[in-house]
Amino acid sequence: MIAVTLVTSNPFSVRVRPRGAPVASFQLSSPTGGTNLPYSLGHAFKQGAVPANVQLIADIGALQVSGKNWWPDGSLKFAVVAGRADLVANAARTVTLSLGTPLASPNLTTADLRASGVTAATSADAFGTASWAGADWDAPFHSWISGPQMSSWVYRKPIGSDAHLVAWLEVRLFLGGAVEVLPWVENGYLNVAGPTNKNAQYAFTLGATERFRASFDLANHCRTVLIAGARFSYWLGADPQALATPGKAYLQATHLVPAYGASVPDTANVLATTSQTYTPLQQGKFSAAMGMTGFAPAIGLLPEWDVVYLTSNAAAAYAGVITHGYGAGRYGIHFRDEKTQRPLLFSSYPNLAVNSGGSNGIADVGGSSKNIVTPLSQGTVPPTWDTPHHPSIGFMAYLVTGRFYFMEEAQFSATVGFLK
């Protein structure tokens, strides 16, 4: 058996090396199959499994691991895994990760992204358009992943001259030139005056082809990905349809999620408890009135749709995690700091509280002893967000995908609790 190299905190290229002890595994599948199919996933690791300054190799083609979080002892805690693989249609393939030593190779850069010829644009009727082409790709807001098999950047631009409405992209470039894009729009800042709803027809174009068009009312401090149907991102060329998922038993063993003894035995049960497709701002299995008494699917250490994913072998369960991760944007909790363009740091706003008046959609808001509050929200009221009853949003979706979008969703949930 030969092995292919893969790195943790600093991605390197593929080289043949002897394998050490197995550490973990993940699964790859595709309904169509093909060669050199690009894929990416989030992967958690048990404390001590990948010690500090120790790297990984795998028993499949080219891939990389980019570390994002580490345990107190310095061992790898969470990483984004990416690469390309040959897959047979509808035949799941298990990839085993082991300790080993990789060799270096150049990372994909924004110059490589520009060379792909990709263009993108988000429009919102009279509010205007945000577009990217050529040199626009040279200046990302944030470099999220940097590696020889996949690099990922986050871009943002205001839509027209509106003070609140912003178009965002997470763009992934894979070795071989495949480009994957996740677009979203966001309507809300922390301290910018006049937050209100933005009712418009929104559209997204990638590579001169319109991929999305729909009308919806985006309330203050809400956001949504510009996706509809069963797809969860866009590809510049053909969609490789390669799904990569971490081992569910191993994920529970890391203690980053609870461990469950029960199991969901069949696809019918999964389909009954998860959303398989997405439309902007959809409710899904979120409570119609967050805060109501009695049972609700969202109540628990993890909401029902995330537990179904952990306890079922049905491929349909994955869709429920992603669609609810996207659907959480329907709540008016996205108070982005206009100074940093990130969720706020608690230490930067020790006395700031959410304004208790207007159309904020946040239940049981407190006050500020210094009378320092966010600007008054107006227009359409978002669905109610109730802190004692809110579900865990973004967390599981981030664990299985490693997407920047889901990481920030979890952060927005934490910061709105602080603002209350």
Side-chain angles (χ1 to χ4, degrees), residues 355-366:
N355 195 313
S356 60
S359 307
N360 62 38
I362 301 173
D364 302 321
V365 172

Side-chain angles (χ1 to χ4, degrees), residues 13-380:
S13 69
V14 177
R15 296 290 188 273
V16 176
R17 291 283 190 176
R19 284 195 296 150
V23 171
S25 64
F26 63 89
Q27 288 73 49
L28 285 173
S29 62
S30 169
T32 59
T35 59
N36 285 326
L37 299 180
Y39 65 86
S40 182
L41 75 153
H43 202 299
F45 293 90
K46 296 178 184 178
Q47 184 169 2
V50 185
N53 302 315
V54 175
Q55 298 166 352
L56 293 171
I57 58 176
D59 60 352
I60 197 173
L63 43 72
Q64 70 187 43
V65 170
S66 301
K68 285 297 181 183
N69 302 88
W70 290 263
W71 293 99
D73 64 359
S75 62
L76 184 63
K77 184 175 187 179
F78 180 77
V80 179
V81 179
R84 299 185 299 168
D86 298 342
L87 298 174
V88 176
N90 298 311
R93 186 172 185 179
T94 298
V95 180
T96 300
L97 306 179
S98 306
L99 302 181
T101 305
L103 298 176
S105 184
N107 293 341
L108 296 167
T109 68
T110 55
D112 299 315
L113 178 62
R114 190 206 287 200
S116 73
V118 62
T119 60
T122 298
S123 63
D125 279 347
F127 291 106
T129 299
S131 60
W132 290 265
D136 292 330
W137 303 117
D138 295 339
F141 162 70
H142 180 62
S143 179
W144 178 234
I145 302 291
S146 184
Q149 295 299 322
M150 187 272 282
S151 287
S152 173
W153 303 274
V154 179
Y155 296 86
R156 61 171 301 279
K157 280 189 178 184
I159 296 179
S161 59
D162 190 85
H164 295 270
L165 196 60
V166 178
W168 291 78
L169 306 174
E170 181 183 349
V171 181
R172 291 172 169 176
L173 173 67
F174 290 83
L175 183 65
V179 178
E180 182 188 17
V181 180
L182 178 68
W184 70 94
V185 289
E186 196 168 304
N187 178 31
Y189 278 114
L190 185 64
N191 273 319
V192 177
T196 189
N197 63 303
K198 304 295 162 58
N199 195 343
Q201 185 176 76
Y202 295 84
F204 176 70
T205 299
L206 179 64
T209 301
E210 184 173 283
R211 307 299 182 95
F212 173 91
R213 181 174 292 273
S215 297
F216 53 85
D217 188 7
L218 191 63
N220 70 88
H221 298 99
C222 295
R223 66 176 184 165
T224 183
V225 293
L226 298 180
I227 286 174
R231 71 172 66 249
F232 299 136
S233 64
Y234 299 107
W235 292 82
L236 182 61
D239 185 345
Q241 299 187 57
L243 177 63
T245 56
K248 297 174 183 179
Y250 183 86
L251 178 56
Q252 293 176 63
T254 66
H255 304 301
L256 295 183
V257 297
Y260 296 95
S263 63
V264 178
D266 58 71
T267 300
N269 285 339
V270 173
L271 291 172
T273 54
T274 60
S275 300
Q276 298 301 294
T277 59
Y278 178 73
T279 56
L281 307 173
Q282 73 180 26
Q283 179 179 331
K285 298 285 287 186
F286 289 117
S287 302
M290 192 185 295
M292 62 185 180
T293 58
F295 169 79
I299 297 298
L301 292 176
L302 292 176
E304 181 179 90
W305 47 88
D306 290 347
V307 178
V308 166
Y309 170 78
L310 286 172
T311 56
S312 168
N313 289 323
Y318 179 86
V321 175
I322 305 305
T323 57
H324 285 90
Y326 288 158
R330 70 197 306 266
Y331 297 104
I333 63 172
H334 305 89
F335 288 82
R336 187 177 293 278
D337 188 344
E338 63 277 1
K339 296 179 181 178
T340 64
Q341 303 300 332
R342 296 296 298 270
L344 64 91
L345 290 173
F346 296 166
S347 57
S348 298
Y349 299 93
N351 301 304
L352 183 65
V354 172
N355 195 313
S356 60
S359 307
N360 62 38
I362 301 173
D364 302 321
V365 172
S368 167
S369 61
K370 303 293 186 180
N371 197 32
I372 302 174
V373 296
T374 59
L376 186 71
S377 298
Q378 299 175 332
T380 305

Side-chain angles (χ1 to χ4, degrees), residues 290-291 354 360-366 383-389 416 420:
M290 192 185 295
V354 172
N360 62 38
I362 301 173
D364 302 321
V365 172
T384 299
W385 178 266
D386 186 47
T387 299
H389 297 87
V416 78
K420 284 185 58 176

